[in-house]
Amino acid sequence: MAEDSRASLLARCRAIVGASHVITDQADMAPFMADWRGRYSGRGLAVVLPLDTAQVAAIVTACAAARVPIVPQGGRTGLVMGSVPDLSGDAIVLSLRRLNRIRAIDPANRTMTVEAGCILADIQAAAAYAGMLYPLSLAAEGSCTIGGNLSTNAGGTAVLRYGNTRELCLGLEVVNAQGEVWDGLRGLRKDNTGYALRDLFIGAEGTLGVITAAVLKLYPAPRAALTALVALDSPRHALELLGLLQARCGAALTGFELMSAFCLDLVAAQFPDLPRPFAARHPQYALVELSSNESDQHAHGLLESSVGQALEAGVARDAVVATSQQQALGLWRLREHIPLAQAAAGKNIKHDISLPVSTIPDFIARADAALDQAFPGCQPVTFGHLGDGNLHYNVAPPIGVEHDAFLAHQASVNRIVHDLVDAFGGSISAEHGIGVLKREELARYKSPVELGMMRAIKGALDPLSIMNPGKIL
Amino acid sequence: MAEDSRASLLARCRAIVGASHVITDQADMAPFMADWRGRYSGRGLAVVLPLDTAQVAAIVTACAAARVPIVPQGGRTGLVMGSVPDLSGDAIVLSLRRLNRIRAIDPANRTMTVEAGCILADIQAAAAYAGMLYPLSLAAEGSCTIGGNLSTNAGGTAVLRYGNTRELCLGLEVVNAQGEVWDGLRGLRKDNTGYALRDLFIGAEGTLGVITAAVLKLYPAPRAALTALVALDSPRHALELLGLLQARCGAALTGFELMSAFCLDLVAAQFPDLPRPFAARHPQYALVELSSNESDQHAHGLLESSVGQALEAGVARDAVVATSQQQALGLWRLREHIPLAQAAAGKNIKHDISLPVSTIPDFIARADAALDQAFPGCQPVTFGHLGDGNLHYNVAPPIGVEHDAFLAHQASVNRIVHDLVDAFGGSISAEHGIGVLKREELARYKSPVELGMMRAIKGALDPLSIMNPGKIL
């Protein structure tokens, strides 16, 4: 790009958002360029921070006229490097963080209209203040933005009951690649008037347009939520427990997380102050959450009788039902500390995979065996959202092997795991998306027919290819 | 189209599916050409009935090569004339009815893989036989096919709890407009690997490709389902009752239908043998369904205490809780007989609209008043799925006015109702789709930006414009 047209675009951006909201100093731009896990740092022409949808539209229009790529950015907490620019230095990073207004709450419609830059935790809090629940919940909720959640169709721990971010959104406002504003902010439960544009922009990782606002679904806040930790013989027993709880509890089952013994060993070693609910070590654990709109007593009765049945039937080995909010938090803390314990213990090779729930016991057995054959003694760190078929199947080095030496085998480990995922009809990215990190894996595992249709859509909606280029496709 | 190329295409079709599955005789084709409500009959080059996905792909490939349009057809129960051809006689009607196998049921994954031509009632029955629930339920379930349900994103009476057809589908197999087979038959609850092609084909009414199979979500079958009829003062009281029940019952509330006094008057006049649950006439009625995975006793306790609270709080005037399966069926029959009673009483002007649930009382008041001003004495037949904001807001003529004379005002009545729907942020087609019938209304109410993006997608996926031309766009 010629120096003078670059200067003219930046002048236009300053005119649109104000000079103080166009950052071009390298040091000031640095925090917007870096992958937060420190794997990578890109380069950009500028960081632009618009205040509202009209400004976003004007910026996109200016960039389209100048053929300058745009990298939309939210809380920059993604795991696949989808919201940072490449090394060319050609792109504008469009930070949505100033679009952070909650525009409306409609309790009788059970909806909330929010701007893309709203922090997820603030949305949860606003819903709670109105006596409602916005169920999306994930580790980064204190800093991720809803625009990013929507653009990556974020998952989290409540998918079993409430679905992914896509299912929690009724309408969108989007600035498309031509800089036009699409007002699709509909708060409707039923609307069959043409193609599912909403669902297309959700999960598109900013490659088709910029989400600027959304109508979110709210739910009545449950009156009670109870937690239990259940000790199990095997993943197959976990699957049986899941089936038993779903049949007995229906939608009251709001969480079902699997953790292997090795995961809790890691947590115990790194965080000795956390609770140790069982005296004995068990092969597998399920963290179960039950919610009730009726009463604490109802949830208690249902959880105790269900867990009791699982124990009697030999599905479960042992169980602890939390009798206080604090005990419940302690049990959840075990689950939440697995990633931290992994990080503290040293790097491992991560996978965010999903499978048909019914195949998970077989998958784990086959993957464990294949990895052990290729890398004897390597240590799978198997945990995840079993109820959704979503495993974080990570692989730590054999005892005595340096972490960095093991990480040199990342490509071979990925190949073993992802080939098996593919053979089982699974997904190589359950909830993190594709970004840059999994682009080559996507090209490997998606059929040419599907890739062809995705490219046709990208070409149709972003013919100049300025929206987050190099991501997904 | 030249006679010889037409003959050559038909010969190719016969070679693909067998001569007996290519119908060209006008009389034999007639049932495939007619709108079932008798409003219209189209013309076609032939009706082709493939047996499997490979045959569908070969037919589409042949039609694409010959530039011959294709009208995919399921059970032909749609309400917007989306599955019948135009009058040109140029199109092949592609009936999917022979693709009617249930390919697999996976209870532990809570999924079922079915072909497009499976009848909805057969799918419900197969799910029930496996001890599960496939929740989609609508009036045409005995003859509509799942391919049509998916292509129109059908709604029905269980949306409040389980969502529309889109939310009840995890994966698709599609023959695209190039005749390629896309195998997207994934049975995954989480999968963030690129654009939402599944959601794009769902609800596209066959204009982007032909759905040949799907992976459907199953649910544990509830142990109990109870029904109550609640008498109310006004739509606003119905909204209050809905809020009260949702807060107390959560996902156990599986149905909430609104019916005005005039609806039940119609039913009583036409079907005097149906039950009359209340001695007095009340302005509005809510038909409420509660389900429980726990027990009949649990559902009973919850329903009685909730309805009791509504009566005490003055939200409800009176209530009947069905104490037997037969009583429950009787109450549902009142709701199901409203369309039949309307038909027997003479034609009226129909609308399938949705609104933010919170605006429904205001909408009804404003629409009733506007219509009464324009057509004094006209009689709104107001009923529908209040829990989803979906009203079937139909308008019968004033007493003494001929039905046909009133129907001459259809365009003016539509304009009053749809302008108001638009002003309230609603949809002119909640669950029936667009087809041919609402194409002009769509062009009127959708923004140019949204129509532009829809056309761009249509052009990208069906560049020859052979897939169900003239529908939606």
Side-chain angles (χ1 to χ4, degrees):
Chain A
M1 190 180 193
E3 190 54 45
D4 55 343
S5 57
R6 186 180 301 212
S8 130
L9 174 65
L10 292 179
R12 180 86 194 97
C13 290
R14 290 191 186 97
I16 294 164
V17 302
S20 61
H21 301 298
V22 177
I23 305 173
T24 52
D25 178 81
Q26 290 298 330
D28 294 343
M29 285 203 286
F32 297 88
M33 300 295 153
D35 171 56
W36 70 273
R37 290 179 64 194
R39 293 166 293 190
Y40 171 86
S41 237
R43 292 179 57 235
L45 187 58
V47 176
V48 179
L49 296 111
L51 179 65
D52 57 28
T53 304
Q55 290 188 2
V56 173
I59 295 290
V60 173
T61 303
C63 287
R67 307 286 193 273
V68 165
I70 296 163
V71 179
Q73 189 176 91
R76 215 172 40 86
T77 60
L79 291 159
V80 291
M81 304 191 292
S83 66
V84 286
D86 64 18
L87 289 168
S88 69
D90 287 341
I92 293 273
V93 170
L94 187 74
S95 168
L96 279 299
R97 65 157 73 150
R98 292 175 71 219
L99 277 86
N100 61 0
R101 283 163 292 256
I102 291 177
R103 292 192 192 164
I105 298 183
D106 181 346
N109 195 39
R110 293 164 287 130
T111 51
M112 176 190 263
T113 306
V114 300
E115 293 184 345
C118 289
I119 303 288
L120 176 54
D122 294 340
I123 292 173
Q124 295 166 343
Y129 190 77
M132 312 286 284
L133 171 73
Y134 180 65
L136 184 64
S137 176
L138 44 87
E141 61 197 25
S143 48
C144 65
T145 64
I146 192 68
N149 300 145
L150 288 159
S151 292
T152 59
N153 186 28
T157 53
V159 174
L160 178 64
R161 164 66 183 98
Y162 299 102
N164 298 284
T165 305
R166 176 173 284 122
E167 286 85 51
L168 296 173
C169 174
L170 292 177
L172 288 183
E173 180 186 81
V174 170
V175 173
N176 70 16
Q178 289 73 45
E180 300 167 320
V181 179
W182 170 47
D183 179 359
L185 285 177
R186 297 188 271 261
L188 304 174
R189 257 78 186 173
K190 283 182 170 177
D191 178 25
N192 280 342
T193 54
Y195 302 151
L197 296 178
R198 174 193 66 199
D199 296 314
L200 196 55
F201 285 108
I202 294 175
E205 304 185 27
T207 64
L208 300 178
V210 184
I211 294 172
T212 51
V215 180
L216 307 180
K217 272 190 204 169
L218 301 178
Y219 286 82
R223 277 203 177 66
L226 292 183
T227 305
L229 188 69
V230 183
L232 300 152
D233 265 328
S234 70
R236 191 163 301 284
H237 288 83
L239 195 60
E240 279 180 45
L241 178 65
L242 175 66
L244 184 157
L245 291 174
Q246 287 185 311
R248 283 185 62 111
C249 310
L253 181 67
T254 46
F256 194 100
E257 303 282 311
L258 181 73
M259 308 180 277
S260 70
F262 185 66
C263 293
L264 289 203
D265 292 347
L266 269 182
V267 170
Q270 299 292 338
F271 301 100
D273 294 343
L274 288 181
R276 296 184 183 218
F278 300 108
R281 185 181 191 268
H282 301 283
Q284 300 285 340
Y285 303 88
L287 185 66
V288 172
E289 189 188 74
L290 231 65
S291 303
S292 171
N293 285 76
E294 298 169 48
S295 64
D296 211 56
Q297 192 189 350
H298 171 244
H300 255 294
L302 187 56
L303 183 56
E304 300 219 334
S305 68
S306 303
V307 168
Q309 189 190 340
L311 288 166
E312 276 169 37
V315 173
R317 289 164 70 135
D318 203 351
V320 175
V321 175
T323 53
S324 68
Q325 181 73 2
Q326 191 159 348
Q327 267 190 6
L329 285 175
L331 295 179
W332 272 101
R333 214 165 278 142
L334 292 174
R335 165 66 181 82
E336 287 156 5
H337 276 70
I338 298 172
L340 304 173
Q342 287 181 99
K347 291 177 188 166
N348 61 29
I349 299 173
K350 296 186 190 306
H351 307 94
D352 165 41
I353 59 177
S354 68
L355 296 145
V357 179
S358 51
T359 69
I360 283 187
D362 285 346
F363 171 84
I364 292 176
R366 298 255 319 258
D368 285 2
L371 285 169
D372 194 65
Q373 188 165 25
F375 302 98
C378 71
Q379 305 176 91
V381 188
T382 309
F383 66 104
H385 319 293
L386 185 71
D388 319 315
N390 178 194
L391 290 182
H392 298 298
Y393 186 82
N394 302 334
V395 189
I399 291 168
V401 172
E402 286 294 319
H403 286 86
D404 284 336
F406 185 63
L407 254 68
H409 297 292
Q410 172 144 9
S412 325
V413 170
N414 286 349
R415 194 58 55 241
I416 291 170
V417 173
H418 287 166
D419 276 358
L420 211 50
V421 165
D422 193 49
F424 274 83
S427 165
I428 59 159
S429 187
E431 57 177 8
H432 296 167
I434 301 299
V436 171
L437 199 67
K438 293 189 182 167
R439 200 173 56 153
E440 285 175 27
E441 292 294 273
L442 187 81
R444 182 183 186 95
Y445 291 105
K446 282 277 176 191
S447 71
V449 174
E450 184 162 350
L451 287 171
M453 292 195 289
M454 284 171 53
R455 283 197 200 97
I457 289 167
K458 168 74 175 174
L461 295 184
D462 179 23
L464 302 175
S465 207
I466 59 166
M467 294 309 311
N468 213 5
K471 312 295 160 56
I472 300 185
L473 291 168
Chain B
M1 190 181 192
E3 191 55 45
D4 55 344
S5 57
R6 187 181 299 214
S8 129
L9 174 64
L10 293 178
R12 180 87 194 96
C13 289
R14 291 190 185 97
I16 293 166
V17 302
S20 61
H21 301 299
V22 177
I23 306 174
T24 53
D25 177 84
Q26 290 298 332
D28 294 343
M29 283 201 288
F32 297 87
M33 300 296 152
D35 171 54
W36 70 273
R37 290 181 63 195
R39 292 167 294 189
Y40 171 86
S41 237
R43 292 178 57 235
L45 186 60
V47 177
V48 179
L49 296 111
L51 180 66
D52 57 27
T53 305
Q55 289 188 1
V56 174
I59 295 290
V60 174
T61 303
C63 288
R67 306 288 194 270
V68 165
I70 296 164
V71 179
Q73 190 176 90
R76 214 174 41 87
T77 61
L79 291 159
V80 292
M81 305 193 289
S83 66
V84 286
D86 63 20
L87 289 168
S88 69
D90 288 340
I92 293 273
V93 171
L94 187 74
S95 168
L96 279 299
R97 65 158 71 150
R98 293 175 70 221
L99 277 87
N100 61 0
R101 283 163 292 258
I102 291 177
R103 292 193 192 163
I105 298 183
D106 182 346
N109 195 39
R110 292 165 286 129
T111 51
M112 176 190 261
T113 306
V114 300
E115 292 184 346
C118 289
I119 303 288
L120 176 53
D122 294 341
I123 292 172
Q124 294 167 343
Y129 190 78
M132 313 285 283
L133 171 74
Y134 181 64
L136 184 65
S137 177
L138 43 88
E141 62 196 25
S143 49
C144 65
T145 64
I146 192 70
N149 300 145
L150 288 159
S151 292
T152 59
N153 187 30
T157 53
V159 174
L160 179 65
R161 164 65 183 101
Y162 299 103
N164 297 284
T165 306
R166 177 173 284 121
E167 285 86 52
L168 296 173
C169 174
L170 292 176
L172 288 184
E173 179 186 82
V174 170
V175 173
N176 70 17
Q178 289 73 47
E180 300 167 319
V181 179
W182 170 48
D183 179 359
L185 285 176
R186 297 187 272 262
L188 305 174
R189 256 79 186 172
K190 284 182 173 175
D191 178 25
N192 280 342
T193 54
Y195 302 151
L197 296 177
R198 174 192 67 199
D199 296 313
L200 196 56
F201 285 108
I202 294 175
E205 303 186 27
T207 64
L208 300 178
V210 184
I211 294 173
T212 51
V215 180
L216 307 180
K217 272 191 204 171
L218 301 178
Y219 285 81
R223 278 203 175 68
L226 293 184
T227 305
L229 188 69
V230 183
L232 300 152
D233 266 327
S234 69
R236 191 163 301 284
H237 288 84
L239 194 62
E240 278 180 46
L241 178 65
L242 175 66
L244 185 157
L245 291 174
Q246 288 186 310
R248 285 186 59 112
C249 309
L253 181 68
T254 46
F256 194 100
E257 302 284 312
L258 181 73
M259 307 180 280
S260 69
F262 185 66
C263 294
L264 289 203
D265 291 346
L266 269 182
V267 170
Q270 300 292 338
F271 303 99
D273 294 343
L274 287 182
R276 295 183 185 220
F278 300 107
R281 185 180 190 268
H282 300 284
Q284 300 285 338
Y285 303 89
L287 185 66
V288 172
E289 189 187 75
L290 230 66
S291 303
S292 171
N293 286 76
E294 298 170 46
S295 64
D296 211 55
Q297 191 188 350
H298 171 244
H300 256 295
L302 187 55
L303 183 56
E304 301 220 333
S305 69
S306 302
V307 168
Q309 189 190 340
L311 287 166
E312 275 169 40
V315 172
R317 288 163 72 133
D318 202 352
V320 175
V321 176
T323 54
S324 69
Q325 182 72 3
Q326 192 160 347
Q327 267 191 6
L329 284 174
L331 295 180
W332 272 101
R333 215 165 277 142
L334 292 175
R335 164 67 181 82
E336 287 157 5
H337 276 69
I338 297 172
L340 304 172
Q342 287 182 96
K347 289 178 190 166
N348 60 29
I349 299 173
K350 297 186 189 304
H351 307 95
D352 166 40
I353 58 177
S354 68
L355 297 145
V357 179
S358 51
T359 68
I360 282 187
D362 284 345
F363 171 84
I364 292 176
R366 298 252 325 253
D368 285 1
L371 286 169
D372 194 63
Q373 186 163 26
F375 303 98
C378 71
Q379 305 175 90
V381 189
T382 309
F383 65 103
H385 319 292
L386 185 71
D388 319 316
N390 178 193
L391 290 184
H392 298 299
Y393 184 84
N394 302 335
V395 188
I399 291 168
V401 173
E402 286 294 319
H403 286 86
D404 283 337
F406 185 64
L407 253 67
H409 298 293
Q410 173 144 8
S412 324
V413 170
N414 286 349
R415 193 60 54 242
I416 291 170
V417 173
H418 288 166
D419 275 358
L420 210 49
V421 165
D422 193 49
F424 274 83
S427 166
I428 60 158
S429 188
E431 57 178 8
H432 296 168
I434 300 300
V436 171
L437 199 67
K438 295 190 182 165
R439 202 174 52 154
E440 285 174 28
E441 292 293 274
L442 187 80
R444 182 182 184 93
Y445 291 106
K446 282 277 177 192
S447 71
V449 174
E450 185 162 351
L451 287 170
M453 291 195 290
M454 285 169 54
R455 285 197 198 98
I457 289 168
K458 169 76 175 174
L461 295 184
D462 178 22
L464 302 175
S465 205
I466 58 166
M467 295 308 312
N468 213 7
K471 312 296 159 57
I472 300 184
L473 289 171

